[in-house]
Amino acid sequence: MPRESGDYLSGIFIAEKSQLHLEARANYEAKHSQSAFLGWSFSGGETVQFKATPIVGFVWGSTHGVIGGLEASVAYKKLDYYIEAEYLDPNGAEPGYLYAWSELGYRPIEWLRLGLVAQRTRIYGGDRDLQRGGFFQVTVRKVTAGFYWFNPGSHEQVAILSLGVSF
């Protein structure tokens, strides 16, 4: 829900089997675009857990091109860090672009996660190339609901409501 432009819905669908990672997105890299990815996950650690998934894919619709990226996380006790970065090499006159989303989270109790979030995106207008803010998530069984607030107090505020279901 960007303050200076129209609201829109974005979808991310992930399927993982062992180390194989499949992902499809709608309205993520650009409005009216779809993307698909294939990746392979590597994970480990006991005290400090980590997971890294290099991905490769393509986008079509309002933007076309090849995408390479990485989704990675590291966790230690109640702290965690997640980053998703991808480079879009579009077909056509547009230059390539690095998209990124990162979260630094803290779980004071198992079902609540709070933290800081940053993103670099071109999906909606505004002068800010890098946007920062806060978030909270609540998890009940296999459902996670979240609220992200970027650029609090500015005219370029963005609110994101998220809903995740795992099965």
Side-chain angles (χ1 to χ4, degrees), residues 129-140:
D129 197 33
L130 178 63
Q131 301 178 340
R132 299 175 258 338
F135 74 90
F136 71 88
Q137 294 176 325
V138 174
T139 301
V140 177

Side-chain angles (χ1 to χ4, degrees), residues 29 59 63-68 86-90 95-99:
E29 286 79 17
V59 61
T63 298
H64 299 69
V66 176
I67 303 172
E86 63 184 52
Y87 183 79
L88 169 61
D89 185 14
Y97 189 74
L98 177 67
Y99 291 83

Side-chain angles (χ1 to χ4, degrees), residues 97-133:
Y97 189 74
L98 177 67
Y99 291 83
W101 176 286
S102 62
E103 300 175 1
L104 177 60
Y106 174 69
R107 286 189 190 275
I109 48 182
E110 187 61 32
W111 56 269
L112 178 64
R113 183 171 175 253
L114 312 165
L116 301 172
V117 62
Q119 74 171 340
R120 184 170 193 257
T121 184
R122 282 202 258 181
I123 195 160
Y124 39 78
D127 295 333
R128 293 174 185 250
D129 197 33
L130 178 63
Q131 301 178 340
R132 299 175 258 338

Side-chain angles (χ1 to χ4, degrees), residues 16-97:
E16 293 183 318
K17 178 71 172 171
S18 186
Q19 291 177 279
L20 178 63
H21 176 94
L22 303 172
E23 189 167 341
R25 302 175 185 165
N27 291 329
Y28 188 85
E29 286 79 17
K31 289 181 186 175
H32 311 294
S33 71
Q34 297 77 41
S35 54
F37 298 88
L38 174 65
W40 198 257
S41 297
F42 305 90
S43 60
E46 291 180 23
T47 304
V48 176
Q49 297 105 24
F50 71 90
K51 182 177 180 182
T53 307
I55 57 174
V56 64
F58 54 94
V59 61
W60 68 94
S62 64
T63 298
H64 299 69
V66 176
I67 303 172
L70 175 70
E71 297 176 5
S73 62
V74 62
Y76 174 72
K77 295 186 179 183
K78 294 183 177 195
L79 291 173
D80 65 81
Y81 178 74
Y82 171 80
I83 187 165
E84 176 183 307
E86 63 184 52
Y87 183 79
L88 169 61
D89 185 14
N91 299 338
E94 293 180 51
Y97 189 74

